[in-house]
Amino acid sequence: MSATRLPGTPRLLRALNDRAALELLLERGPLTRARLGELTGLSKVTASQLVERLEERGLVTRVGEQAGGRGPNAQLYAVSPGSAHVVGVDVGPDRVVAACADITGAVIGRVEQSTRDTDDPVGVVHNAVVQAASSAHAQLSSVRRIVLGTPGLVDPGTGDITFAFNLPRWHSGLLAALRDDLHTPVVFENDVNLAAVAEAQSGAAQGLADFVLVWVGAGVGLAIMLGGRLHHGSSGAAGEIGYLPVPGAPIPRDVSRRAKPAFQQLVGADSVRAVAREHGYPDTDAAEAVRGAVAAGTDGGPMLDELARRLALGVASTCVVLDPPLVVLAGEVGQAGGAALAERVQHEVAAITLVRPRVVPTGLTEEPILHGALRTALDAVRDEVFGSTVG
């Protein structure tokens, strides 16, 4: 076969080898040229050429030496942390949190700001991103991607926000305005979807390609992971589980009037507090009330039973359609309920449907939306940076 039939083969092989080496350096830490050769199956000469190529492009750097037998010590190499940065942003109705990570995934800057005194979403995001990068001592020009987690719908076609119940000032056209302002690729993603990304990376769903995550907090939401990929639906509304028409709550017929949808009425924070009052718990924060019921042991059982029955209506409706092996309960209330609530929901779902998914509490305790935003940004940027290593 002539060389003209396969003009890109040597280039492609170099790119694949470079990518494999960079992934190994991220996963296993500093390595010598010889060890990289062993792990990739490359000869010593090829491995040395690979390291030189990556070092010339600023993607790897020498970080120390490894003592050996005879001869000089071997140089240790690692991915250059500053070769690219990303920023993740968690946007809520009262505050915005932004974090900056280098390409290794280390979070090196973080800021938190109130959003109560402003009606300028572009200014809010601009300030948060700039300050997060500044706190990380990173130039804004080195930030290759910004991922914002937001409640509501994100149009899969345009990437823009089409509806955000808790953020009335966020609107269509905001994505273009942010990109123009920051001169950086900006991506919107539903906040519950990002929590599921984090759960798959380092939480209760590690190693699973298929699962659903039910977020129970001030509101209720659902993330669907199928084949290791988020399922958004044709309009981005996949997972808006609060709108499930379920028994036990009136069904609003005009969602544009901001009336609470049926399932939201049953399991949102206001309803959890009402259930807590009915069972003798003080009118307090919903998650605190659930933690109190869990701490009370058998005395808190009736409250948890009632909450599980309500949650099971939405979980069962989801599971008879998707039949996932795992359901993760997350959000402030889901996390507070822990195994005690998850086990009750699992039992109730099995009692009213033909499916029997395992139901577990979230394995993450701090800022899953933010971590999911950073992971999403890192995956994209690594593909861009690591995938373009051959000149």
Side-chain angles (χ1 to χ4, degrees):
M1 188 174 292
S2 68
T4 57
R5 297 285 297 277
L6 293 171
T9 297
R11 180 189 182 99
L12 176 60
L13 289 174
R14 285 197 300 270
L16 292 173
N17 289 336
D18 290 354
R19 179 64 185 261
L22 288 164
E23 295 288 356
L24 283 167
L25 288 170
L26 284 173
E27 180 183 349
R28 303 204 180 193
L31 297 170
T32 65
R33 296 187 185 202
R35 183 59 178 152
L36 267 177
E38 293 173 5
L39 294 171
T40 56
L42 300 174
S43 68
K44 291 183 179 180
V45 172
T46 303
S48 292
Q49 292 172 342
L50 178 153
V51 171
E52 289 173 4
R53 190 162 60 241
L54 296 179
E55 194 173 16
E56 287 175 2
R57 288 169 171 77
L59 294 178
V60 303
T61 186
R62 302 179 192 187
V63 295
E65 296 181 345
Q66 183 179 77
R70 298 175 181 176
N73 292 342
Q75 295 290 327
L76 285 167
Y77 294 86
V79 173
S80 300
S83 55
H85 295 89
V86 299
V87 172
V89 186
D90 178 6
V91 181
D94 299 318
R95 65 167 194 159
V96 58
V97 182
C100 180
D102 62 36
I103 202 167
T104 71
V107 177
I108 52 178
R110 183 186 181 281
V111 295
E112 182 174 338
Q113 299 175 353
S114 171
T115 58
R116 294 180 180 179
D117 299 327
T118 180
D119 58 359
D120 177 18
V122 174
V124 166
V125 174
H126 177 96
N127 291 337
V129 169
V130 169
Q131 291 183 29
S134 177
S135 68
H137 304 290
Q139 295 293 325
L140 193 59
S141 59
S142 74
V143 175
R144 298 285 293 263
R145 183 164 297 237
I146 301 163
V147 173
L148 294 99
T150 175
L153 304 187
V154 178
D155 187 314
T158 66
D160 220 335
I161 290 177
T162 57
F163 178 76
F165 189 93
N166 292 327
L167 297 171
R169 298 181 184 89
W170 291 62
H171 51 78
S172 180
L174 182 57
L175 182 63
L178 286 170
R179 287 174 174 172
D180 289 343
D181 176 76
L182 292 164
H183 306 291
T184 304
V186 178
V187 176
F188 283 131
E189 180 58 272
N190 175 267
D191 52 2
V192 179
N193 282 344
L194 292 178
V197 170
E199 205 75 52
Q201 176 67 26
S202 55
Q206 289 184 75
L208 285 180
D210 299 338
F211 71 95
V212 298
L213 180 142
V214 179
W215 183 277
V216 191
V220 57
L222 175 78
I224 304 164
M225 192 75 75
L226 298 176
R229 298 171 63 90
L230 287 169
H231 177 68
H232 295 90
S234 62
S235 66
E240 291 297 325
I241 195 174
Y243 289 89
L244 275 176
V246 293
I251 302 172
R253 300 188 64 83
D254 187 356
V255 296
S256 66
R257 295 183 181 274
R258 296 187 175 274
K260 286 185 179 180
F263 190 51
Q264 168 75 24
Q265 294 177 51
L266 284 185
V267 299
D270 292 342
S271 298
V272 174
R273 286 195 296 269
V275 171
R277 288 195 299 271
E278 292 171 3
H279 289 84
Y281 290 87
D283 188 5
T284 182
D285 176 82
E288 285 295 330
V290 173
R291 272 190 286 271
V294 172
T298 55
D299 290 340
M303 176 187 162
L304 295 176
D305 290 343
E306 173 61 20
L307 182 55
R309 279 192 291 269
R310 294 180 176 215
L311 280 170
L313 294 174
V315 174
S317 298
T318 299
C319 291
V320 293
V321 175
L322 299 174
D323 194 13
L326 181 73
V327 176
V328 179
L329 294 185
E332 300 88 351
V333 171
Q335 181 179 332
L341 179 60
E343 290 167 3
R344 285 170 166 82
V345 173
Q346 177 174 309
H347 175 78
E348 188 67 19
V349 170
I352 63 176
T353 70
L354 295 174
V355 295
R356 285 166 170 73
R358 188 163 58 98
V359 182
V360 300
T362 175
L364 304 172
T365 58
E366 295 183 3
E367 300 184 320
I369 297 167
L370 187 64
H371 288 295
L374 288 170
R375 172 52 51 184
T376 301
L378 280 168
D379 287 346
V381 168
R382 285 173 179 171
D383 281 342
E384 294 170 1
V385 175
F386 294 171
S388 59
T389 58
V390 178

